[in-house]
Amino acid sequence: MRTLNNIFLKTGFIFCALLFISCNETKKEDSVMAEQEIPMLEAASQEYADLAQKTLELLSEFDLETWKEYLADDVEWYWPDGNSETRHTIKGKEELIMWWKNWKETTGGQMSFTNNTFLPIKVNKASNYYKLVGTGVLAYTDLTISIQDKSTSVRQHIVFMFDENKKISHALLYYDRTGIIELTNVVIGETE
């Protein structure tokens, strides 16, 4: 009987030891998972791509009254010149609306955005260039500007960033401005 008890005790002890070890292994796996680095970027909701597309449609129609509903009050619009410290910017919703109204009135120009690609992203870590985190959209589009009987097209890249209310807080534009400057005789973004 005593031998039988020893066998049960030994078996029970081994079982408990294995159970304890396996539980600790799970904890180690959990801690390894928790220690994994957060990616700089990840996919975001398609809803943000739809918002970016709608804003470009409204801008091409110069429906600025509706367009401004998609903008944060403190929106920052970055033109494609200079570097992160010297780029021309327009800060504030009302200033941006006034700039576009003035551009439309003084040039009579038309714009269209075609061949669009929208990639919604979540930025978890700020880049070295712009210190922005949150939800955004990488937009790739062909921009055609027409003034009177002349026009020019450029392939552009826009980074739209959104605030917590799903309003555009930043728009960072990238494109070769040469054709636009030749068409308008104006460096877009510079103010008189």
Side-chain angles (χ1 to χ4, degrees):
M1 185 73 171
R2 189 166 205 187
T3 307
L4 193 56
N5 281 341
N6 283 342
I7 292 174
F8 282 123
L9 284 174
K10 287 179 184 178
T11 304
F13 178 77
I14 292 171
F15 177 77
C16 288
L18 290 174
L19 183 62
F20 179 77
I21 290 169
S22 68
C23 288
N24 279 340
E25 286 299 315
T26 303
K27 288 179 183 175
K28 285 180 188 174
E29 288 174 15
D30 289 345
S31 67
V32 168
M33 293 292 284
E35 291 174 10
Q36 285 183 345
E37 189 171 329
I38 296 172
M40 184 175 189
L41 298 172
E42 47 188 315
S45 168
Q46 178 64 30
E47 176 184 13
Y48 290 94
D50 296 342
L51 290 169
Q53 182 172 5
K54 184 63 176 174
T55 63
L56 291 181
E57 290 170 4
L58 292 168
L59 185 57
S60 70
E61 297 165 3
F62 283 93
D63 183 354
L64 300 176
E65 288 303 309
T66 305
W67 185 62
K68 74 180 182 180
E69 299 305 316
Y70 290 81
L71 304 174
D73 290 338
D74 59 349
V75 65
E76 294 183 19
W77 189 273
Y78 292 83
W79 295 103
D81 60 342
N83 62 35
S84 64
E85 288 142 21
T86 63
R87 289 179 84 165
H88 287 93
T89 61
I90 299 173
K91 295 183 180 183
K93 183 192 314 190
E94 294 308 317
E95 289 79 7
L96 185 57
I97 296 297
M98 294 282 286
W99 191 93
W100 280 110
K101 282 182 180 178
N102 182 56
W103 186 84
K104 177 70 173 157
E105 289 171 7
T106 58
T107 67
Q110 299 292 318
M111 293 188 307
S112 65
F113 301 93
T114 57
N115 299 318
N116 303 321
T117 301
F118 299 99
L119 303 170
I121 59 170
K122 182 176 178 222
V123 181
N124 296 316
K125 296 179 183 177
S127 70
N128 292 335
Y129 197 67
Y130 291 104
K131 309 299 183 211
L132 301 173
V133 294
T135 305
V137 172
L138 302 178
Y140 299 92
T141 182
D142 290 340
L143 166 63
T144 301
I145 296 178
S146 301
I147 297 176
Q148 297 171 0
D149 61 344
K150 299 178 191 172
S151 68
T152 190
S153 294
V154 297
R155 185 72 177 157
Q156 75 172 347
H157 166 204
I158 306 171
V159 178
F160 290 108
M161 293 300 292
F162 293 84
D163 67 12
E164 62 279 352
N165 297 312
K166 298 181 182 173
K167 306 279 186 183
I168 295 173
S169 61
H170 296 82
L172 304 110
L173 287 74
Y174 303 91
Y175 53 86
D176 179 357
R177 304 172 310 136
T178 306
I180 296 171
I181 292 170
E182 290 171 356
L183 176 68
T184 63
N185 282 331
V186 173
V187 177
I188 293 182
E190 290 184 2
T191 54
E192 304 285 322

